Amino acid sequence: MRKLRQSCIPGSFVIIAVLGVVFSSVLWASPRQIGVGELERLIVDHMPKQAIHGLRPSDVVSLDVDLGKSAGTANFSIPGFKTYGCDQCHQGMELLDNAAGRMRETLTRLRTLFPEISTIPLKQYIIQPFADELLKPRQFAHTTFDTIRIFPRTLLVDSLVYDNATHLHETLHLTHEFVGPPNELAAYGLNIRQDPRFLLLNYPYFEDVVTAYFLPEFPQTLKAFYARSVREDLAVSREVQWFLKANDPDELKPLADAVKQMEPLLKEVTRLLQQHPIRASYWSEQTGNGAFLLEIAAVKLLPLPALDISEALRVKAFSIIDRQMNKTDNLKLGYVIDRKKESLLTLKHHLKLDDPLTRLSLYFRYLKERFIGPDGEVRLVVEDREDLMNFAEKKLEGILKMAQSGNLTVVEKKGADRLVKKINQRLKDF
């Protein structure tokens, strides 16, 4: 092991050389727990710098790394290594060596969880000391085209708090062949399998399935979690502070048990996303519901929640839900309405259904009737082909616009071109 120095940018690499990277099913079982104050001292000098206007850093530390058969050779780099002061405390090649080691372990972990993924198109890994249009200040990291961009601050949090969850999340995005909410659902589904605290941080993707099928008291758990005080004046984000506060094994065990029971659903989400990436994104955005694929998986694989209402009331409820779910405003206007929430609120006020579990049970019954065929298979049918094509082409325009950014590297431009060709080929199949 190389001799260690006191760190300032990005210090996570030096710390990792000491601690190593541990992949555990539940981080909260780890004997070491960093405090908010200690973390603040580490990351305060590693926050994203403001990009120097009009200057594309010419000083780049770069290293080509063989990541093995599933990924091949990727370029690791730190643009602006001297421009943004990284050289004052660090040796660039040492940072890149450690980054490569972290990615090798991430790929090993990902292959274990998703053996069906044969190739992961990681061609470039950029440690970015500055923020720009491709990696904005409030972002943790960003997957572009065959590329992961990540801040030094993120590396510290990811290694000391999140057990490399961000790396797993962004690496899984590299395998996705379209854009939209289902990609985030799949990536957060990977994160909750690693640590149940991500179920709390990213609850909109999981709340209703967990509540209806596994943990009826989940809304109360969420309320208690977000009631914990945090400091707004720190470089450590609120999310990280909340995450660090929720470390009681007895408190988290019910969540871990729920995640374990959800694993078949998460695998079904992955399967649906691989087979129907455009339709999955279409339905998620039309309904304004990032959890849509998980809910479809639930009604396919699990017995429906109990329901005790009259048939006449059920028919009225289905009519209300169907009317909401068939609206396409989300695909055409500049705002997004969660059609599920609208449906549930309407059921409460118009049909006087005060019990939230009754309303959820009706909603899940509707999903099964609408999207699961007689053979038990999922039917993500879009009857309006023109609407589906318009949606896909609008997404394609967004990808092409991003591909024209002057901040993209040659590697990213090639990756964008390859993604556009894949999408166009899928559109031909429609």
Side-chain angles (χ1 to χ4, degrees), residues 77-92:
S77 67
I78 310 174
F81 186 70
K82 292 184 178 180
T83 299
Y84 292 94
C86 305
D87 63 321
Q88 296 177 17
C89 303
H90 299 285
Q91 294 295 322

Side-chain angles (χ1 to χ4, degrees), residues 2-139:
R2 297 177 180 177
K3 183 178 179 181
L4 303 183
R5 304 172 306 283
Q6 185 174 352
S7 62
C8 57
I9 302 178
S12 61
F13 295 109
V14 175
I15 295 168
I16 285 171
V18 178
L19 297 178
V21 179
V22 179
F23 287 99
S24 59
S25 59
V26 282
L27 180 61
W28 46 267
S30 172
R32 186 182 190 279
Q33 184 68 61
I34 191 170
V36 172
E38 181 184 358
L39 186 62
E40 173 76 4
R41 288 191 293 273
L42 288 169
I43 72 172
V44 70
D45 293 326
H46 297 80
M47 299 297 289
K49 304 293 191 298
Q50 184 176 355
I52 299 174
H53 182 67
L55 175 63
R56 192 171 184 175
S58 58
D59 57 308
V60 179
V61 180
S62 178
L63 177 68
D64 288 329
V65 178
D66 183 0
L67 294 173
K69 60 181 181 179
S70 65
T73 300
N75 179 260
F76 285 66
S77 67
I78 310 174
F81 186 70
K82 292 184 178 180
T83 299
Y84 292 94
C86 305
D87 63 321
Q88 296 177 17
C89 303
H90 299 285
Q91 294 295 322
M93 296 307 292
E94 183 175 358
L95 302 185
L96 296 179
D97 281 343
N98 284 308
R102 181 185 297 103
M103 278 308 306
R104 287 194 184 98
E105 294 186 25
T106 298
L107 293 170
T108 298
R109 175 68 168 163
L110 200 62
R111 286 194 299 268
T112 300
L113 292 169
F114 298 96
E116 67 274 17
I117 297 177
S118 57
T119 303
I120 299 172
L122 175 61
K123 303 298 181 185
Q124 194 170 228
Y125 180 102
I126 301 173
I127 301 170
Q128 193 167 307
F130 56 91
D132 61 13
E133 62 172 338
L134 298 175
L135 187 56
K136 297 178 175 60
R138 291 189 63 82
Q139 287 181 293

Side-chain angles (χ1 to χ4, degrees), residues 321-333:
I321 299 171
D322 191 60
R323 188 162 56 249
Q324 284 290 339
M325 295 289 280
N326 283 320
K327 293 180 179 179
T328 59
D329 295 2
N330 287 337
L331 305 179
K332 299 172 182 177
L333 304 177

Side-chain angles (χ1 to χ4, degrees), residues 179-182 280-289 330-331 336-337 391 395:
V179 292
S281 184
Y282 174 92
W283 278 110
S284 295
E285 296 210 14
Q286 177 182 317
T287 60
N289 178 14
N330 287 337
L331 305 179
V336 175
I337 297 173
F391 165 78
K395 290 293 185 183

